[in-house]
Amino acid sequence: MLTAYTIEYIVFPQHSTRLLAHRTDDPVEVEEFLMHLLATGARIKEIRHQGIALGGHQFHQMLKIAAGRIAAQLLRESLGIDAIQVKDRYGFAS
């Protein structure tokens, strides 16, 4: 059976070209894994859903959500504020 989501990425793009894949059926796990990849500087090559590569808007939307969650988390930790204040002050949903 085909997994719902597959993310293809390169861990250390400045040192390697080895393409790895993370597969899951959980959309929340996809978002958290994308957050991890963004935070560590990995190269995200492709996101597939049900075996079909996500196009421009869908691909960018998933990355935008993950990046927003990273920004919200950093603001909460650095400023010592809660998720509601992050949303009110900066517009990032946690």
Side-chain angles (χ1 to χ4, degrees), residues 1-86:
M1 186 174 160
L2 191 63
T3 55
Y5 294 95
T6 302
I7 302 169
E8 291 185 351
Y9 62 99
I10 300 171
V11 178
F12 300 109
Q14 62 276 25
H15 301 292
S16 173
T17 58
R18 183 173 178 218
L19 192 63
L20 302 171
H22 178 78
R23 293 174 180 84
T24 184
D25 290 324
D26 183 3
V28 174
E29 184 181 338
V30 170
E31 202 172 283
E32 290 174 354
F33 193 73
L34 286 172
M35 289 171 59
H36 171 73
L37 293 175
L38 289 171
T40 59
R43 172 94 22 93
I44 302 166
K45 301 296 280 183
E46 186 174 68
I47 303 170
R48 290 193 304 272
H49 183 252
Q50 302 294 346
I52 300 170
L54 296 182
H57 178 72
Q58 291 175 317
F59 181 85
H60 297 305
Q61 188 65 24
M62 289 188 81
L63 293 175
K64 181 179 176 181
I65 291 168
R69 284 189 58 200
I70 291 170
Q73 181 179 352
L74 291 171
L75 288 166
R76 279 194 324 269
E77 291 172 5
S78 293
L79 301 177
I81 58 178
D82 63 18
I84 295 169
Q85 290 176 313
V86 170

